[in-house]
Amino acid sequence: MKSILTAATLSLSFAVPAFAAPTAQDHETLFEALALSEIVEIMREEGIGYGAEIGNDLFPGRINSDWSDVVERIYDPERMIDVLRKEMADEMSDTDLTPLIAFFTGTIGSELVSLEVSGRRALLDETVENASIEALEIAAEDNSPRYQLIKEFAKTNDLIETNVVGSLNSNYAFYVGLVDGGGLPMEITDEQILSDVWSGEPEIRENTIEWLYSYLLMAYQPVPDDYIQAYIEISKTEEGKDLNRAMFTAFDVLFTDMSKALGLGASRFMVGEDL
């Protein structure tokens, strides 16, 4: 973590912090400005749909209210929000939140966050998702200025790599849950799990790029380029980098925990244990 210090004064032989450590209210203000509670609600809907897919893949025709209850307990929004709050506060305990709060509560930042939320919610509709992918294909073929700007935004925030790593970590945790719960043979080694998870990396990367670019192009479509450029510039600051690291860490902890719980729950269902 960084520490910004002023020059020592004539009366003091040591430097003093240029900013006070963020308060609990500062962390909460930033959390609210990023609309993370709303994002969690959308993630819960996505997760419940994902849980249904897992059930169809692992025990087709046997999905019932018990499995649905397991999935809904795992995607409990209050617990998800609590995890994100704690992890982000821990990761940014030495970060000056003032410029971040100013940006995300200001005109540009608040508009972009609002569009991110509405865009994420819109993608719950498969028709909208397909349309956004078609729009991406056109933008990529034309190599449009907006497409280039979105690529720069994603690169600045390291969105591709962090999302790929997060997906791999989640997949690994799911396998571990399956093994721990008896859904897979205990003889399966950690090396075998890692090998299987990594074999899916190219597909995960391809899907991540498609989803991320199509989502950002659609979500930010109403705003001018200078709004996105302003977001890029705040992301390049030390505070912006701290925020990106904190967000990745918090969501990685959350998704890894939920993925292992899904694997454990699915394994118990597969072997016929009471849920």
Side-chain angles (χ1 to χ4, degrees), residues 1 3 18 20 56 64 83 114 125 138 144 173 190 232 234 238 243:
M1 293 294 181
S3 178
N56 285 325
N64 56 29
V83 170
S114 177
D125 185 328
I138 294 172
S144 67
D190 193 59
I232 291 173
I234 191 71
E238 288 304 312
L243 175 60

Side-chain angles (χ1 to χ4, degrees), residues 245-258:
R245 284 192 292 268
M247 293 275 281
F248 168 71
T249 298
F251 277 100
D252 191 51
V253 168
L254 177 62
F255 279 119
T256 298
D257 177 62
M258 292 192 301

Side-chain angles (χ1 to χ4, degrees), residues 77-230:
E78 291 186 8
R79 188 187 66 82
M80 292 167 69
I81 289 171
D82 286 345
V83 170
L84 293 180
R85 276 201 179 100
K86 178 185 181 303
E87 295 298 329
M88 288 187 65
D90 288 348
E91 288 294 316
M92 304 185 75
S93 60
D94 295 326
T95 299
D96 183 4
L97 303 186
T98 306
L100 297 173
I101 291 173
F103 179 78
F104 288 107
T105 59
T107 301
I108 294 177
S110 60
E111 176 67 12
L112 290 171
V113 169
S114 177
L115 291 173
E116 288 172 359
V117 172
S118 60
R120 187 75 175 261
R121 183 173 288 113
L123 287 180
L124 293 171
D125 185 328
E126 187 176 352
T127 301
V128 174
E129 183 177 12
N130 291 336
S132 71
I133 292 173
E134 291 177 6
L136 167 62
E137 292 171 349
I138 294 172
E141 183 176 353
D142 295 341
N143 199 24
S144 67
R146 176 54 66 96
Y147 175 69
Q148 289 297 321
L149 190 60
I150 290 298
K151 287 181 66 177
E152 181 184 356
F153 176 81
K155 181 178 180 180
T156 299
N157 290 283
D158 202 21
L159 296 179
I160 301 300
E161 292 304 320
T162 54
N163 276 279
V164 169
V165 169
S167 294
L168 291 171
N169 288 344
S170 293
N171 288 350
Y172 173 78
F174 181 74
Y175 268 100
V176 170
L178 283 177
V179 173
D180 288 351
L184 292 177
M186 296 298 292
E187 294 77 14
I188 291 180
T189 66
D190 193 59
E191 290 74 17
Q192 288 174 308
I193 294 176
L194 286 170
S195 176
D196 192 67
V197 168
W198 270 103
S199 70
E201 193 273 349
E203 182 179 1
I204 288 174
R205 181 173 298 275
E206 181 180 350
N207 291 339
T208 296
I209 292 172
E210 180 183 75
W211 185 91
L212 186 66
Y213 285 178
S214 62
Y215 162 60
L216 293 175
L217 278 168
M218 180 192 68
Y220 295 158
Q221 190 275 331
V223 299
D225 288 351
D226 58 356
Y227 274 45
I228 303 174
Q229 192 62 51

